[in-house]
Amino acid sequence: MPSKRWVSGLLLAGLIACGGSEPAMETAAAPATEPKDVHSYANADEVRVRHVSLDLTVDFERKVLSGATLLQIEPVDGVKPMKLVVDTRDLEIRSALASIDGVDFAETEFSLASADPILGSALTIQLPEGAKSVRVDYETSPSASGLQWLDPAQTAGKKHPFLFSQSQAIHARSWIPLQDSPGVRVTYQAVIRVAEPLRAVMSAETLDEGPREFRFQLDKPIPPYLIALAAGDIAYEAISERTGVYAEPSVVESAAKEFEDVDSMLQKAEALFGPYRWGRYDILVLPPSFPFGGMENARLTFATPTLLAGDKSLVGVIAHELAHSWSGNLVTNATWSDFWLNEGFTVYLENRIQEAVFGPQRALMEGALEVQELRDEMATLEPRDQILHVNLDGRDPDDGFTQVPYVKGMLLLRTIEKAVGRPKFDPFLRGYFDHFAFQSITTADFVAYLTQELPEAVEQVDVEAWTEEPGIPADAAIPVSHALEEVAKTRERWLSGAITVTDLPAKSWSTQEWLAFLSGLPADAGAERLAELDAAYHLSDSHNAEILSRWLLESIKRGYKPADKPLEAFLTTVGRRKFLKPLYEELAKTEAGKRRGLEIYAKARSGYHPIAQVTVDQILGYRP
């Protein structure tokens, strides 16, 4: 163990402070209940981290972050903690220091436990009595699960490397030693050092922009998975006074055009759900390897470039991430078993935003497609994974990222809305966000609040059946889209020979109508039918990632060979997990397809995010 050595607190606090005096930070209220988070080693029942200060250098050559994290801590209800336990994964811990007054720090004993394949390693730091701060000096691993390092060739500009983080669900611990639980909310500051001409951005207010040194501060408490970092050749274009887009220079203009309605979305959301409490709302369009459609990092949504369809047809993802500013960021699931409180609410809010901005038909189409995706996935899930309040003990919380928390959760809220009516449900929603603002809550907290504030809802809707039992309850308020019903009728007329392929009104179809058309093709509609569609509408060459991925999936099912090259091109250039998973799963259903999948994956894997790599490794039985 390191020997005790006193050092100046000015180096520790001053090095990391983002503006001289200690900033005023908003403290998160304690959650209504204190659940045990089975996915964190943190001794949060004894002592809690309240503020995180980062001082990190981005080393693109070695693909590591190195520096220090300063954790400001607070004992829980009179407990005199003897130790602080935080979560880590593959971190090289160099030293730990503690301070009683926040000025003078001394080295203190620490121990790093052996690694669990899911949870990583517990870092236990001994605390002197009355300790208020702990500093950990460390370095990340080049293979940190929450970071992706891209070579210039993997970016749009091809000139500079790129780094971005993805901390949800429990990947923050792979680049920051902290209490990595959504139930432990923190404010944060950061100093990020990066070589010129690169730029760093974070999910926080920018206080100072380089060159070489970038300073950030967020004074609203967030769950650790919302701490986010990106660095690279990044430009910015404003959309409005409080919204804008970051992206690589060659992408930023088209991205700003695609997302030009975001300020309107923000205004509509505020009218529905109450004030936006985070200051700015910006979007960072990442390189194609980003594994998700979007990530709702506070103040700065990370987004995939696959949303840039050129016609705004895929901006529903932005409506979703914006909605998280209320459901997820403002009111957060306390554990990953309560994940539906984030995502079910957000899908419902997203649908309401789309209805307000683009009209009810667009919202109904989106909702109907989401329900069909839920039904398709539920057919493959064990009963335990069809439950909203899912039991994830002993499992990776990423296993809970199915359509169930998203769409079944949305259906529960739609069902409550139908039962009581919007004139009552909308004030309930606003009150919910106000009551639990900046807190992390459980399913039980939600049910208790619903019972208190909207008792007629629990009289008409069996909320326990919705949250604790598998399947979709019979009283579900299923969205019905007449536009998609017309698409289905048109598809049947074509398949029956009543109309030809060129008689389809497809050129006027939205993305949602195309998805409904393709996903409803029967199994006996073989490769010759796909050839007709491809000749008429050039689907193999589509620039719309949603349509193209669905087309490629149907092509794999039917052995449509002209789509083989587009399939390989798609899988080697796009890293979005939503697209990769079904395509590789379909390939893996036959021996020939699996061989083909492995051939493509061997070329593509290095460009995928670690989260996507784990998924595809499991599908193909790939061992690196």
Side-chain angles (χ1 to χ4, degrees), residues 506-530:
K507 290 184 179 178
S508 65
W509 278 347
S510 66
T511 296
Q512 292 73 28
E513 288 166 308
W514 262 116
L515 293 176
F517 179 87
L518 293 172
S519 63
L521 288 172
D524 61 359
E528 67 282 358
R529 285 295 196 179
L530 268 60

Side-chain angles (χ1 to χ4, degrees), residues 39-319:
H39 294 109
S40 174
Y41 291 116
N43 60 334
D45 57 337
E46 298 177 341
V47 59
R48 291 201 169 211
V49 174
R50 292 301 189 188
H51 181 69
V52 176
S53 293
L54 302 171
D55 188 307
L56 297 173
T57 296
V58 181
D59 187 337
F60 277 105
E61 186 173 333
R62 298 176 56 234
K63 296 185 178 180
V64 299
L65 300 176
S66 61
T69 292
L70 186 68
L71 307 174
Q72 294 179 13
I73 59 177
E74 183 179 285
V76 174
D77 295 333
V79 174
K80 294 183 178 180
M82 303 296 293
K83 63 183 183 297
L84 171 68
V85 183
V86 298
D87 298 294
T88 75
R89 178 184 288 145
D90 297 330
L91 298 182
E92 178 189 337
I93 307 299
R94 294 169 172 167
S95 66
L97 302 95
S99 173
I100 296 170
D101 58 9
V103 176
D104 292 316
F105 285 75
E107 288 197 13
T108 186
E109 293 185 348
F110 68 88
S111 61
L112 190 64
S114 57
D116 177 88
I118 295 174
L119 302 181
S121 303
L123 173 62
T124 301
I125 301 166
Q126 299 305 313
L127 297 177
E129 186 174 350
K132 292 184 174 63
S133 303
V134 169
R135 168 175 164 156
V136 180
D137 287 40
Y138 69 100
E139 183 173 280
T140 64
S141 164
S143 59
S145 63
L147 301 175
Q148 184 165 24
W149 301 86
L150 301 177
D151 296 326
Q154 296 171 297
T155 68
K158 311 298 182 186
K159 294 181 180 179
H160 300 287
F162 204 103
L163 162 71
F164 66 87
S165 67
Q166 171 54 40
S167 295
Q168 195 180 44
I170 57 171
H171 300 284
R173 65 192 64 181
S174 73
W175 65 285
I176 310 170
L178 79 178
Q179 293 179 323
D180 192 12
S181 168
V184 180
R185 301 177 74 102
V186 298
T187 53
Y188 84 93
Q189 297 169 278
V191 175
I192 305 297
R193 296 179 173 84
V194 61
E196 291 188 89
L198 304 183
R199 178 184 205 166
V201 294
M202 293 194 79
S203 55
E205 179 185 1
T206 302
L207 298 183
D208 187 20
E209 284 201 285
R212 300 189 184 91
E213 187 172 286
F214 297 80
R215 294 174 180 263
F216 306 92
Q217 175 180 301
L218 184 66
D219 62 0
K220 302 290 192 294
I222 57 172
Y225 69 82
L226 292 179
I227 303 175
L229 166 67
D233 185 12
I234 300 172
Y236 180 77
E237 185 160 328
I239 294 175
S240 69
E241 287 186 2
R242 58 176 176 166
T243 66
V245 172
Y246 292 96
E248 290 187 72
S250 63
V251 176
V252 69
E253 185 176 346
S254 61
K257 179 65 176 175
E258 194 82 5
F259 301 143
E260 65 183 359
D261 294 316
V262 69
D263 192 72
S264 176
M265 289 182 183
L266 181 52
Q267 293 178 42
K268 298 292 187 184
E270 287 185 304
L272 288 167
F273 315 125
Y276 178 77
R277 309 188 195 206
W278 304 95
R280 294 196 58 80
Y281 180 76
D282 291 318
I283 301 164
L284 170 64
V285 179
L286 291 166
S289 60
F290 184 54
F292 301 115
M295 180 61 209
E296 66 273 16
N297 303 309
R299 295 175 56 101
L300 183 63
T301 283
F302 282 15
T304 170
T306 61
L307 303 183
L308 305 180
D311 60 1
K312 304 181 185 178
S313 60
L314 305 182
V315 298
V317 171
I318 298 302

Side-chain angles (χ1 to χ4, degrees), residues 347-373 407 410-411 414 417-418 422 477-485 487 510-513 516:
V347 174
Y348 174 84
L349 268 58
E350 165 202 342
N351 205 255
R352 294 290 302 276
I353 294 170
Q354 292 222 65
E355 178 184 305
V357 176
F358 299 113
Q361 177 171 294
R362 167 79 169 264
L364 285 170
M365 285 194 294
E366 293 274 9
L369 287 171
E370 288 163 346
V371 171
Q372 186 56 54
E373 289 177 2
V407 184
M410 175 270 286
L411 288 176
R414 279 182 58 92
E417 178 205 315
K418 182 181 178 182
R422 277 192 183 177
I478 304 294
V480 176
S481 168
H482 296 302
L484 296 190
E485 289 177 342
V487 169
S510 66
T511 296
Q512 292 73 28
E513 288 166 308

Side-chain angles (χ1 to χ4, degrees), residues 508-572:
S508 65
W509 278 347
S510 66
T511 296
Q512 292 73 28
E513 288 166 308
W514 262 116
L515 293 176
F517 179 87
L518 293 172
S519 63
L521 288 172
D524 61 359
E528 67 282 358
R529 285 295 196 179
L530 268 60
E532 289 181 50
L533 287 169
D534 209 7
Y537 303 107
H538 309 289
L539 294 172
S540 292
D541 300 321
S542 174
H543 295 293
N544 183 307
E546 290 281 355
I547 294 174
L548 180 57
S549 66
R550 188 75 215 190
W551 170 253
L552 294 174
L553 182 64
E554 300 304 323
S555 297
I556 297 169
K557 291 178 182 178
R558 292 161 177 80
Y560 180 61
K561 295 300 182 184
D564 282 357
K565 286 185 177 180
L567 173 66
E568 180 169 341
F570 187 79
L571 289 175
T572 52

Side-chain angles (χ1 to χ4, degrees), residues 285-466:
V285 179
L286 291 166
S289 60
F290 184 54
F292 301 115
M295 180 61 209
E296 66 273 16
N297 303 309
R299 295 175 56 101
L300 183 63
T301 283
F302 282 15
T304 170
T306 61
L307 303 183
L308 305 180
D311 60 1
K312 304 181 185 178
S313 60
L314 305 182
V315 298
V317 171
I318 298 302
H320 181 94
E321 305 311 331
L322 172 61
H324 267 304
S325 302
W326 288 265
S327 51
N329 298 6
L330 186 63
V331 183
T332 307
N333 51 247
T335 77
W336 295 109
S337 290
D338 304 296
F339 186 48
W340 79 272
L341 291 173
N342 277 24
E343 296 299 349
F345 268 83
T346 298
V347 174
Y348 174 84
L349 268 58
E350 165 202 342
N351 205 255
R352 294 290 302 276
I353 294 170
Q354 292 222 65
E355 178 184 305
V357 176
F358 299 113
Q361 177 171 294
R362 167 79 169 264
L364 285 170
M365 285 194 294
E366 293 274 9
L369 287 171
E370 288 163 346
V371 171
Q372 186 56 54
E373 289 177 2
L374 171 65
R375 293 189 188 280
D376 291 345
E377 186 170 27
M378 269 196 170
T380 70
L381 295 176
E382 297 178 38
R384 67 171 183 170
D385 289 326
Q386 299 177 18
I387 296 171
L388 279 182
H389 188 212
V390 62
N391 185 346
L392 292 170
D393 288 13
R395 294 196 284 166
D396 192 319
D398 288 352
D399 292 346
F401 286 26
T402 68
Q403 290 296 314
V404 173
Y406 290 77
V407 184
K408 185 178 176 181
M410 175 270 286
L411 288 176
L412 169 55
L413 297 180
R414 279 182 58 92
T415 304
I416 294 172
E417 178 205 315
K418 182 181 178 182
V420 303
R422 277 192 183 177
K424 287 187 177 180
F425 190 61
D426 282 1
F428 165 80
L429 275 180
R430 291 186 69 134
Y432 169 83
F433 293 127
D434 287 339
H435 182 77
F436 291 114
F438 302 109
Q439 295 185 52
S440 298
I441 68 170
T442 65
T443 299
D445 295 329
F446 164 75
V447 174
Y449 185 76
L450 179 69
T451 302
Q452 175 182 313
E453 300 296 324
L454 212 57
E456 57 267 51
V458 296
E459 291 171 3
Q460 298 179 63
V461 179
D462 188 347
V463 178
E464 183 174 358
W466 271 92

